[in-house]
Amino acid sequence: MKFTSTRDQSTWAILLWLAFFALVLLIPFRFVIAADEPPDQYLNTPPLLVDPAPIDQISSKGSDTIFAIYLPIVHKAGIANGFLNIQDRQTVVSYYQNAYANAPQPAINWTGNLGNCVPGQLAADYQAAVLARINFFRRMAGVPAQITFLPAYNEKAQAAALMMSRNNALMHNPPSDWLCFTTLGKNGASSSNLAMGAYGWVAIDLYMKDPGDGNGFVGHRRWILYPQTQNMGSGDIPPQPGFASANALVVLDNHFYDARPPTREAYVAWPPPGYVPYNLVQPRWSFSYAGAKFENATISMQSLGKQVPVIKESVHEGYGENTIVWIPDGLSGWSNWPRPASDRQYVIKIQNVLINNVATNFQYNVIVIDPEH
């Protein structure tokens, strides 16, 4: 570029400096925006149950062996009517420390081979730890927490996870031209929560968080906390060179249409009413009630005597129990709940819920705590 005068040179110098400073200011701003959404972890939509047919297809008939782990009772004072008493702070802290924060982390010891399309197997104690994480969340939520892993479910989940990792994609109905395609893996994918970039109990935590634009109705969480479920299956592929880790969690079992078992509350909320460690509180709050209609329901939250702004997510049925979801305080689906300086109570009111065509209101309190203090 040719400059015709000293003034032209000065003008261009000023413009270049302005462009440089604009770039400096924009670069950190760009990273701040992206910080709430890890690009290496994502979920697709959860499996949708539309009729009884898939139940018959995914049933494990003829397998008498089940893989199970039962979490220990922390102490008698923490049990109320057979459920964890989360109205007692010390009970919650002890349970959280023993069953979550300080839970053992066994090695996966995967025996498969991604390049040769070998699903392989996982170490038994590793599978037990994944199962324990599922039952941990269910016990906190106040639903039956005796989930067992069926070998047949584990097998198809492992085949599904292999397909997801090998193709670096998530799909509940993968095409037959996919790499490492098997009918077993396809059946597993159709009945599973699917995660990419996360495996093991990290994937379970991710399902409970249910981030991403397409998961505003928290279908993955709803399947994990569905009261009638008794059997699941899990498959994991650890990260391999050039390929992301993957998890498939079979969540549709043969008990979907069973009678609803007793739960601690008549509803299932996350976070649940009572004391809840802050790092278990997700930006998307949910309230489930079997058969309820939430289209015209409203949500309000109060804390420290002030209203907390909330955004109601779209209502979707077909994923576990009918549910209403909202995001408080301007957070995003990928946000982490802030660590409270002291115990902080939130009063939740949900109004105009239609139950058997009768408008019904609910109110409950969630106390967010720092379990280290």
Side-chain angles (χ1 to χ4, degrees), residues 231-254:
N231 307 125
M232 294 185 185
S234 182
D236 285 306
I237 303 296
Q240 304 294 301
F243 298 95
S245 60
N247 170 268
L249 180 71
V250 174
V251 291
L252 303 182
D253 72 351
N254 204 34

Side-chain angles (χ1 to χ4, degrees), residues 14-361:
I14 292 171
L15 290 174
L16 287 172
W17 276 108
L18 288 174
F20 171 77
F21 282 116
L23 184 62
V24 169
L25 290 173
L26 284 173
I27 286 176
F29 179 67
R30 176 174 175 264
F31 280 106
V32 168
I33 293 176
D36 280 345
E37 187 165 352
D40 57 344
Q41 288 185 351
Y42 66 95
L43 307 173
N44 67 342
T45 55
L48 174 65
L49 184 67
V50 293
D51 57 47
I55 294 295
D56 294 331
Q57 295 170 11
I58 67 172
S59 298
S60 177
K61 301 173 182 177
S63 175
D64 295 328
T65 305
I66 57 177
F67 183 78
I69 185 172
Y70 296 92
L71 297 177
I73 294 174
V74 177
H75 52 74
K76 292 182 179 179
I79 303 301
N81 300 322
F83 294 102
L84 186 72
N85 179 15
I86 64 171
Q87 302 300 323
D88 182 86
R89 192 185 194 280
Q90 185 54 48
T91 293
V92 171
V93 171
S94 296
Y95 181 60
Y96 167 82
Q97 296 290 1
N98 293 334
Y100 188 93
N102 298 317
Q105 302 182 47
I108 186 171
N109 291 332
W110 178 51
T111 63
N113 186 290
L114 198 60
N116 294 331
C117 297
V118 179
Q121 295 182 336
L122 311 176
D125 55 351
Y126 172 87
Q127 285 282 71
V130 176
L131 182 56
R133 182 58 56 93
I134 294 168
N135 281 323
F136 167 82
F137 281 118
R138 289 177 65 91
R139 184 158 285 152
M140 281 291 298
V143 301
Q146 292 84 34
I147 296 295
T148 59
F149 278 172
L150 294 182
Y153 286 12
N154 286 341
E155 184 181 8
K156 64 182 177 181
Q158 190 65 26
L162 179 83
M163 291 166 57
M164 304 303 133
S165 179
R166 186 66 178 84
N167 292 275
N168 276 320
L170 298 178
M171 189 175 294
H172 289 295
N173 187 28
S176 59
D177 61 354
W178 258 29
L179 300 173
C180 300
F181 176 87
T182 60
T183 301
L184 181 66
K186 180 178 180 178
N187 290 342
S190 68
S191 55
S192 293
N193 286 349
L194 300 173
M196 182 75 68
Y199 66 106
W201 63 25
V202 175
I204 306 305
D205 289 354
L206 191 62
Y207 296 139
M208 287 298 296
K209 188 167 190 173
D210 237 345
D213 294 338
N215 293 310
F217 50 94
V218 298
H220 301 93
R221 180 192 302 170
R222 287 155 68 174
W223 283 129
I224 287 179
L225 300 182
Y226 186 62
Q228 282 90 323
T229 302
Q230 297 182 29
N231 307 125
M232 294 185 185
S234 182
D236 285 306
I237 303 296
Q240 304 294 301
F243 298 95
S245 60
N247 170 268
L249 180 71
V250 174
V251 291
L252 303 182
D253 72 351
N254 204 34
H255 297 279
F256 182 84
Y257 293 104
D258 287 1
R260 190 180 191 274
T263 53
R264 189 177 55 217
E265 290 84 29
Y267 52 86
V268 178
W270 195 267
Y275 291 95
V276 184
Y278 76 95
N279 47 346
L280 300 180
V281 178
Q282 310 298 356
R284 286 182 169 132
W285 292 41
S286 59
F287 177 95
S288 303
Y289 196 104
K293 297 296 182 182
F294 292 103
E295 285 76 8
N296 297 316
T298 60
I299 312 115
S300 67
M301 288 179 66
Q302 278 191 342
S303 183
L304 303 178
K306 298 180 180 179
Q307 288 291 331
V308 177
V310 300
I311 297 177
K312 179 183 176 182
E313 298 274 20
S314 298
V315 175
H316 292 265
E317 298 181 2
Y319 305 89
E321 294 189 318
N322 292 351
T323 300
I324 189 171
V325 182
W326 65 98
I327 298 182
D329 225 12
L331 299 174
S332 76
W334 279 102
S335 299
N336 293 320
W337 197 264
R339 188 173 197 161
S342 59
D343 293 1
R344 183 166 180 180
Q345 177 173 277
Y346 293 85
V347 180
I348 296 92
K349 295 180 180 179
I350 303 175
Q351 298 180 303
N352 201 33
V353 180
L354 285 183
I355 300 176
N356 296 323
N357 292 321
V358 176
T360 307
N361 300 331

